[in-house]
Amino acid sequence: MNLALVALIALLAASSPKDVTADYDVADGLEVKVWAESPQLHNPTNIDVDRRGRVWVAEGVNYRFTIKKDLREKGFVPRDGGDRIVILEDTDGDGDADTSKVFVQDKDLQAPLGIAVIGDKVVVSCSPRIIVYTDADGDDKPEKKEIFLDGFGGIDHDHGVHAFSFGPDGRWYFNAGNHGPHVVKDRAGFTLRTTKEGPGPGGEKSDDGRVWVQGVAMRINSDGTGLRVLAHNFRNVYELGLDAFGNLWQNDNDDDGNAGCRMSWLMEGGSYGYTSQNGRRGWRVDQRFGQSTQVAHWHQEDPGTVPPTEVTGPGSPTGLVVYEGHALPSRFMGAVLNADAGRSSVWAHRVKPAGAGYTSIERINFMTALASRGDEARRFRPSDVAVGTDGSVFIADWYDPIVGGHGMADKESFGRIFRVVPKGGTLKPAKYDLGAGAVEALLSPAVNVRADGWQALQKQGPAGIAAARKRFAAEKDPRARARLLWFLAAAKQAEPGKALRDRDADIRITAFRALRAHADPKALVKHASALVGDASPAVRREVAIALRDVPVADSGTLLLKLAQSYRPGDRTLLEAIGTGMDGKEAALWPTLLAKLGAADPLRWSPAFADLAWRLHPEASVPGLAARVHAAALPMPERQRALVALAFVPSRAAADAVVKVAETAQEPLKGYALDLAFDRATDEWRDFGVADHLKNLRSKEPDTKESRETAAWKAMLRKPGATRDEQGKAIEALAATGDGGNHLIGMAAQGKLPKELQDAVAESIFRNPDVGVRALASQYFKRPAFEGSAFPSVPELLKMKGDAARGKTVFFGERAACSRCHEYAGQGGNIGPSLSQIAIKLGREALLDSVLNPSAAIAFGYEPWVISTKDQQTYAGFVVGDGETVLLKELTGETRMIPASTIAQRQKEKTSFMPDNIALGMKPQELVDLIEFLASTPAAAIR
């Protein structure tokens, strides 16, 4: 072989895309190649594909610089001038990007979380704003920048506003996490208002008259009018995915450590249960006896909450898209591709109808890092997934050993884009002619390219409509037919009306949804009447949802027919009927009871009992109470009736539940007591429930220890106390949990004289309460550990750990990890479970999380210190807020603190989890602990 040929082969090998299929668990029939990597892009937060097949990247190099002021000190370098939107292109068609250009760099871009290229508009989501850049001449330079929407919470925060997607109806869809409040006005003057992050006081009504809480899914017209909430009560939703029929899919993050991340089909108007329905209580307060964490986390067994399609376990879900291309094997058609940065995975959820809803029949490892690659596997952090014009799949990789809690460790801002294609196949990006090929663009597998086709057909006028009608008449693919139906409905054509009688239920649903988008109230009722008796429960679901805002005089008969069609067990249809009857329950209850119920509540059919549970008007209280007390009914039915009573905001319901708590035997007694406790200071605060609870629940014991602590507190505050007296008081207080919290509270309020702070520091780090020791580090200088510096993370990584010894450390008295954390079913439930932490974090990240626990505090576990007017200080997690603050203390107990008695409440920057020095671990013990945590219980991995 001559030297020239050798050189040519080497050149070709160097320029061909790197195949990394062997480094990942990749679905059968697929292969993965590196399509682009740094320095072509950095820290990709979100991606999109335009009609030329190019990949647009939103970069997050400046991620967290506004929140974490010490990043520069740690060696992170921000990008001057703001973050960028970058365009990547494979100009020579060899399978990897060879050009990278900056579309825009803007000081207003602080780690934007969304990018959408919709026609000549580049829509960038960056809380508090949605910024639209217009590139009318197509030169990849924006001529115009405008603020499309403003007022979202979550600035430089994962729980802010996320990416836009072009919907099959021509409108734009997007979502926002729960770092509110979001107060956003659209261009027609409609104002959306949501609650703040986490449980808190009830939110204000939006201009639609409804209260929306936590994260929200939304829709808006392309001109900035018509902002509407589609569903709410999420934690941190990252991206919406839409299919051709108009179904919305979304993932959601759990409170870290609770193995409760979820993927859900979204029902319009639905509440998805992250907090109580009014947003005032967190799920930990509302968790009922016998409920699993996953069920309680999303209030799945509460009336008025739509359950998720699938709970995926631990992780940090990110980008999501519905695959509707033909390049991949047929089993992926309609699959929900779900990126999970925490699990270093992208999954393909295959879903199918189940009653009026959907169920996941298979979760395929589309691309997952191989555990055998160790810590390197944990650096694969897929932040987004998008479909190319050729049907290939692009995956953005943030690449970092840490994810979640605002944490990161990669100072280089490295990033990659992978491309997933059929094994051995050759795909070329489609090039769309927006003249004769406008219909093909409308049917593109790339989500936002469809906007090009839609807009081109609109501009063509009658010719475009004719082209769409011709294709619809010839089309056999139901997804293609659905997309054409949406366009024809907007053009006021006859096909959608005829499609209400189509043999395919998905087409009937699409036709009804499309007509509804353009129908006046009279026409809507007419279309609903045509489908109210449809054989498909999913079609009837859509009818019920559509009647939500139709007055009872016009909708009552239809809603009663829908109720008659309900069969027990179809939770989605039950929730849809409840949505349609929202605000009409009292008016419809007498007829429902007469037609479907019975005078004797014990003779209610299972279907009617379900309807009573979901609707629970005040008139249902006597019947529900009778079922609770009926010994002839199975206990689950009695408990379910008791839950329904708890959701009636009336004195009669409150009295009925309190009566059960006072007179019934276990388990009903405890069940009723918990339900009453949850509502005593909230929905039932005006009904005297709290007074009853004082008699039913014992008060705090006046122990010798508490009396002595009170005396030492008084000594410390006594005017003229000597230094010796103050020293004794400090030493005594620093030795107890209550006393330690009191000293911290004094320091937080600036009431502890500077000359006493050293005395406190000498004692408080020996406090038996690990939470006290952790918080103390924020106010007092910690003594050095054994007089020497602790080894660095790189040094610790070189040491060999022993998992058996690490288990002893975890469950031992000194480190006391198991006091707050559960592992494999053992330990406390104060902090996040650590059973599956190795799925999310490698050894390097685990070491960092123990050494620097306050650097990335898991959401929901932020520490609060509350001082009351009577000189009491409490520390814990706020799990309910309003007129009464519910504080979960490190003992696991929930304390009720009237807001009117609080002198000061402060959110601390220091985690309740103390660092290794406060834990008292030696370096080898820490390494052993990490080895133990890194060996995840096999049973915990799904």
Side-chain angles (χ1 to χ4, degrees):
M1 186 178 294
N2 62 45
L3 293 177
L5 183 57
V6 170
L8 177 60
I9 292 173
L11 178 63
L12 290 172
S15 62
S16 61
K18 180 182 179 183
D19 191 317
V20 294
T21 307
D23 293 336
Y24 296 87
D25 181 1
V26 181
D28 292 343
L30 303 179
E31 61 185 27
V32 181
K33 296 181 179 180
V34 177
W35 192 77
E37 64 182 353
S38 296
Q40 294 171 306
L41 72 154
H42 295 276
N43 277 13
T45 63
N46 200 245
I47 58 175
D48 195 20
V49 177
D50 68 12
R51 70 172 182 268
R52 292 165 55 183
R54 303 182 302 175
V55 175
W56 294 60
V57 181
E59 295 184 329
V61 173
N62 290 339
Y63 180 75
R64 292 299 178 267
F65 275 90
T66 59
I67 292 177
K68 303 179 77 172
K69 304 300 183 183
D70 61 345
L71 286 178
R72 288 177 175 82
E73 299 170 10
K74 294 180 177 179
F76 291 87
V77 181
R79 174 178 280 149
D80 293 336
D83 273 317
R84 312 183 306 179
I85 304 299
V86 174
I87 308 171
L88 304 174
E89 185 174 10
D90 175 11
T91 62
D92 55 13
D94 68 349
D96 63 356
D98 49 62
T99 68
S100 174
K101 67 173 70 172
V102 177
F103 173 73
V104 70
Q105 182 176 11
D106 191 338
K107 59 180 175 56
D108 288 336
L109 297 184
Q110 179 81 33
L113 295 181
I115 172 72
V117 184
I118 304 178
D120 62 1
K121 310 293 184 186
V122 179
V123 186
V124 181
S125 304
C126 187
S127 285
R129 305 178 188 91
I130 305 299
I131 302 173
V132 173
Y133 302 94
T134 301
D135 178 17
D137 60 9
D139 66 351
D140 296 332
K141 297 178 182 178
E143 298 92 51
K144 185 169 99 173
K145 168 188 172 182
E146 58 185 321
I147 305 303
F148 186 71
L149 293 172
D150 200 354
F152 291 98
I155 297 173
D156 194 17
H157 196 292
D158 295 341
H159 296 224
V161 65
H162 292 93
F164 278 59
S165 293
F166 181 79
D169 58 354
R171 294 179 285 194
W172 297 359
Y173 290 75
F174 66 113
N175 56 19
N178 70 331
H179 199 275
H182 307 305
V183 181
V184 181
K185 180 180 288 189
D186 74 5
R187 294 185 177 181
F190 171 88
T191 299
L192 162 70
R193 303 174 183 89
T194 72
T195 56
K196 71 177 183 67
E197 177 183 43
E204 294 182 68
K205 288 183 179 179
S206 294
D207 286 359
D208 56 7
R210 303 189 186 281
V211 174
W212 305 107
V213 302
Q214 303 301 304
V216 285
M218 295 160 283
R219 178 182 67 210
I220 194 168
N221 298 327
S222 60
D223 63 0
T225 65
L227 177 63
R228 294 293 181 270
V229 173
L230 301 174
H232 72 133
N233 211 352
F234 309 111
R235 184 180 181 268
N236 185 29
V237 289
Y238 200 90
E239 191 168 26
L240 276 174
L242 292 94
D243 66 20
F245 310 116
N247 291 310
L248 282 80
W249 304 88
Q250 186 176 260
N251 54 32
D252 199 358
N253 247 295
D254 67 343
D255 285 344
D256 282 350
N258 290 286
C261 297
R262 57 180 173 172
M263 191 281 293
S264 302
W265 169 81
L266 297 193
M267 189 183 83
E268 184 177 342
S271 170
Y272 280 76
Y274 175 54
T275 64
S276 61
Q277 291 179 7
N278 59 17
R280 296 185 188 125
R281 295 190 309 277
W283 63 271
R284 294 181 187 86
V285 176
D286 285 350
Q287 185 172 14
R288 299 192 284 274
F289 178 78
Q291 281 186 329
S292 69
T293 296
Q294 289 81 4
V295 168
H297 200 299
W298 307 116
H299 290 81
Q300 290 185 44
E301 294 176 338
D302 286 5
T305 299
V306 185
T309 304
E310 181 178 3
V311 173
T312 58
S316 297
T318 47
L320 177 146
V321 70
V322 179
Y323 186 81
E324 293 183 312
H326 293 280
L328 302 189
S330 60
R331 68 184 184 278
F332 292 108
M333 175 57 74
V336 181
L337 303 183
N338 178 15
D340 191 322
R343 297 282 288 274
S344 302
S345 298
V346 177
W347 292 309
H349 300 265
R350 296 181 61 212
V351 296
K352 72 172 185 178
Y358 298 85
T359 187
S360 181
I361 59 174
E362 183 182 14
R363 191 198 324 162
I364 302 170
N365 275 336
F366 192 78
M367 179 180 175
T368 299
L370 291 172
S372 60
R373 298 184 68 224
D375 281 357
E376 174 61 23
R378 295 292 174 265
R379 289 178 177 269
F380 172 51
R381 301 298 185 185
S383 57
D384 198 16
V385 55
V387 183
T389 58
D390 56 4
S392 63
V393 173
F394 293 97
I395 296 171
D397 178 16
W398 174 275
Y399 193 84
D400 201 290
I402 294 176
V403 64
H406 310 306
M408 57 181 176
D410 175 32
K411 297 181 176 66
E412 305 303 317
S413 299
F414 186 77
R416 298 180 289 193
I417 304 290
F418 297 102
R419 183 168 177 253
V420 182
V421 297
K423 186 173 291 185
T426 56
L427 298 177
K428 297 291 185 182
K431 305 293 184 182
Y432 296 104
D433 172 4
L434 294 184
V439 169
E440 294 305 322
L442 179 67
L443 304 180
S444 173
V447 172
N448 291 323
V449 171
R450 297 163 189 154
D452 291 290
W454 181 289
Q455 293 169 1
L457 289 171
Q458 277 188 325
K459 290 178 181 176
Q460 292 172 16
I465 294 171
R469 295 185 71 184
K470 180 180 179 180
R471 180 62 175 268
F472 179 77
E475 187 60 65
K476 302 299 182 184
D477 181 351
R479 293 177 186 271
R481 294 182 70 216
R483 293 200 180 281
L484 291 161
L485 267 179
W486 287 104
F487 178 79
L488 293 170
K492 306 293 185 183
Q493 301 303 298
E495 281 82 358
K498 295 176 182 178
L500 291 175
R501 301 184 296 276
D502 197 275
R503 283 186 289 181
D504 188 330
D506 281 329
I507 295 298
R508 297 198 300 277
I509 289 171
T510 302
F512 181 71
R513 286 171 170 170
L515 288 168
R516 181 187 168 201
H518 305 283
D520 60 35
K522 289 184 179 179
L524 172 61
V525 172
K526 176 184 174 183
H527 298 320
S529 299
L531 296 177
V532 72
D534 196 279
S536 166
V539 173
R540 301 198 302 275
R541 171 201 75 212
E542 289 302 309
V543 173
I545 294 167
L547 296 175
R548 182 177 195 178
D549 294 318
V550 178
V552 68
D554 299 318
S555 63
T557 300
L558 296 178
L559 289 167
L560 289 168
K561 288 182 179 179
L562 290 168
Q564 288 176 300
S565 76
Y566 169 74
R567 297 294 178 266
D570 191 343
R571 179 67 181 278
T572 304
L573 184 56
L574 182 63
E575 289 299 333
I577 291 170
T579 298
M581 291 190 180
D582 183 34
K584 308 163 195 168
E585 300 92 341
L588 295 174
W589 178 257
T591 307
L592 274 173
L593 185 62
K595 287 190 172 185
L596 304 178
D600 181 359
L602 274 62
R603 296 179 59 194
W604 286 355
S605 68
F608 187 75
D610 282 355
L611 288 166
W613 173 82
R614 173 58 182 86
L615 301 176
H616 51 267
E618 187 170 358
S620 69
V621 169
L624 291 169
R627 289 177 67 83
V628 172
H629 290 285
L633 288 179
M635 184 57 68
E637 287 300 306
R638 298 172 69 186
Q639 290 176 325
R640 201 157 187 256
L642 185 61
V643 170
L645 281 174
F647 280 82
V648 183
S650 74
R651 182 179 294 276
D655 289 345
V657 173
V658 169
K659 182 178 179 181
V660 175
E662 290 176 331
T663 63
Q665 301 297 312
E666 296 292 357
L668 277 177
K669 182 182 184 69
Y671 215 67
L673 194 60
D674 282 345
L675 289 167
F677 174 82
D678 294 345
R679 288 152 179 78
T681 59
D682 194 355
E683 297 98 325
W684 293 345
R685 63 181 177 273
D686 297 329
F687 305 145
V689 174
D691 293 333
H692 285 285
L693 291 178
K694 289 178 183 178
N695 297 324
L696 292 170
R697 284 189 162 175
S698 60
K699 297 180 181 180
E700 291 185 59
D702 183 21
T703 63
K704 178 177 183 291
E705 179 184 355
S706 67
R707 292 194 301 271
E708 289 182 351
T709 299
W712 289 120
K713 289 178 183 179
M715 173 67 75
L716 192 60
R717 296 193 305 268
K718 187 180 74 171
T722 66
R723 181 62 60 86
D724 183 59
E725 289 174 327
Q726 291 175 328
K728 289 181 179 178
I730 286 171
E731 187 173 353
L733 291 171
T736 67
D738 182 35
N741 278 330
H742 183 73
L743 291 171
I744 290 169
M746 290 184 68
Q749 297 175 67
K751 295 181 177 179
L752 189 68
K754 188 174 182 179
E755 61 270 16
L756 296 180
Q757 291 182 8
D758 289 342
V760 174
E762 289 176 6
S763 304
I764 200 164
F765 291 106
R766 297 191 297 271
N767 191 287
D769 190 317
V770 292
V772 169
R773 303 200 311 262
L775 284 180
S777 63
Q778 185 165 335
Y779 298 101
F780 308 105
K781 186 176 181 180
R782 191 196 332 266
F785 180 74
E786 293 189 348
S788 60
F790 209 80
S792 65
V793 170
E795 291 173 314
L796 291 167
L797 284 170
K798 295 176 183 177
M799 297 171 62
K800 183 175 178 59
D802 183 288
R805 292 199 305 260
K807 180 178 180 180
T808 301
V809 173
F810 185 88
F811 290 103
E813 288 299 321
R814 185 168 63 196
C817 304
S818 60
R819 174 178 172 181
C820 294
H821 300 282
E822 174 267 340
Y823 187 93
Q826 300 179 57
N829 66 348
I830 308 300
S833 168
L834 299 181
S835 291
Q836 304 177 38
I837 192 65
I839 293 176
K840 188 171 180 177
L841 301 179
R843 284 173 174 78
E844 179 183 354
L846 283 169
L847 277 168
D848 183 76
S849 67
V850 177
L851 286 165
N852 305 297
S854 300
I857 300 174
F859 176 80
Y861 296 98
E862 301 90 344
W864 287 84
V865 173
I866 295 178
S867 300
T868 58
K869 295 174 182 177
D870 62 354
Q871 305 298 320
Q872 300 299 311
T873 302
Y874 308 105
F877 310 117
V878 173
V879 293
D881 204 349
E883 293 185 9
T884 298
V885 175
L886 301 179
L887 190 76
K888 185 173 183 179
E889 298 181 291
L890 296 188
T891 60
E893 296 298 315
T894 300
R895 184 180 295 274
M896 301 168 62
I897 308 173
S900 60
T901 68
I902 295 175
Q904 178 174 322
R905 52 190 295 179
Q906 183 161 320
K907 189 176 185 179
E908 301 294 338
K909 297 178 181 178
T910 302
S911 169
F912 279 132
M913 175 183 167
D915 62 32
N916 65 293
I917 298 174
L919 286 170
M921 280 187 288
K922 297 178 180 179
Q924 184 60 54
E925 290 174 321
L926 175 58
V927 172
D928 292 340
L929 174 66
I930 296 306
E931 187 65 27
F932 169 66
L933 294 176
S935 56
T936 304
I941 303 177
R942 180 181 173 188

